[in-house]
Amino acid sequence: MPATPEDVRARIAGAARAARAAAATAERESQAALDRLTQRPASERFAALEDGAPQLLPEHRLELLRSVRLASGQTAPAARPAAGHASAWAVWRGRLPFRAGQLTRDALLAVCVLVALGVAWRRTPQAWVEISSDRDVAASWIMPDGRPGGDRLVVGRAYALMRRTNSMAELRDWHPGVGYAVTQVPVEWLRTRAAPR
């Protein structure tokens, strides 16, 4: 016959009582073992620690270690300085949220991503254009280092339109191994065309 919910609850309550009783027994036995060991010479206490002191709970093992240190003349670890002696930086850092380092890293990463998106948007052409004339048109191209990069717009050639300012258009033209040449021409000289392949 399957167990009823009352039976399950009773078993869980019984297991919880048994666990509490076992924990209390282990605490009593560990405390009694600690009391016995602290009455012995420091060498025997140290030998018990070398064996791992399996009869002791971790907090009692730490107390036994402290008693060995005191018996051997070692000083206890220095206490943490009181807040009155801490520097202003240490107090401020202690008031930060636990994950302040991760939050700072995430904020810097977000700023970097936004800057990268802004740079990519600024350097992406708005459209591809060509001159609307049936003849080449004079234009002064400037290379990134300030040298001249050409003296005209060629009929049928696609140029990257970077931005429009009032009635002027900024164009870019790629020169392999050198970089982009830049010029500005009136918007009415241009017409949109498909991107080059």
Side-chain angles (χ1 to χ4, degrees):
M1 184 167 112
T4 64
E6 292 79 20
D7 291 339
V8 172
R9 282 198 277 291
R11 288 180 189 168
I12 291 173
R17 282 192 301 274
R20 285 194 297 274
T25 301
E27 172 74 27
R28 280 194 306 274
E29 289 175 358
S30 177
Q31 184 65 52
L34 175 66
D35 293 342
R36 284 192 305 274
L37 284 169
T38 52
Q39 302 303 317
R40 301 218 171 146
S43 60
E44 290 183 30
R45 284 181 269 166
F46 186 74
L49 283 171
E50 279 186 323
D51 292 339
Q55 71 276 29
L56 297 178
L57 292 173
E59 59 269 17
H60 293 149
R61 213 172 287 130
L62 187 58
E63 284 184 43
L64 185 62
L65 177 62
R66 286 188 189 125
S67 73
V68 170
R69 283 184 177 159
L70 289 174
S72 65
Q74 291 183 5
T75 57
R80 296 177 73 182
H85 299 293
S87 68
W89 166 251
V91 171
W92 179 80
R93 193 179 65 208
R95 291 180 181 158
L96 287 175
F98 177 70
R99 299 176 68 185
Q102 183 178 358
L103 292 173
T104 303
R105 184 199 66 205
D106 292 346
L108 289 174
L109 182 61
V111 168
C112 291
V113 168
L114 290 175
V115 168
L117 288 174
V119 169
W121 176 81
R122 183 159 172 77
R123 297 194 178 217
T124 301
Q126 295 177 358
W128 290 95
V129 295
E130 64 183 357
I131 58 170
S132 55
S133 168
D134 57 353
R135 290 182 299 180
D136 291 355
V137 176
S140 58
W141 292 92
I142 306 296
M143 297 304 292
D145 60 2
R147 290 182 296 119
D151 60 356
R152 62 191 150 154
L153 295 172
V154 179
V155 173
R157 186 166 182 180
Y159 297 100
L161 172 64
M162 300 310 292
R163 68 191 49 81
R164 292 183 178 118
T165 307
N166 299 327
S167 63
M168 298 298 285
E170 180 182 315
L171 304 181
R172 282 194 181 173
D173 186 33
W174 175 250
H175 291 244
V178 182
Y180 282 103
V182 179
T183 190
Q184 289 193 347
V185 296
V187 173
E188 61 267 12
W189 291 9
L190 306 171
R191 66 179 173 217
T192 305
R193 67 167 279 174
R197 300 186 183 210

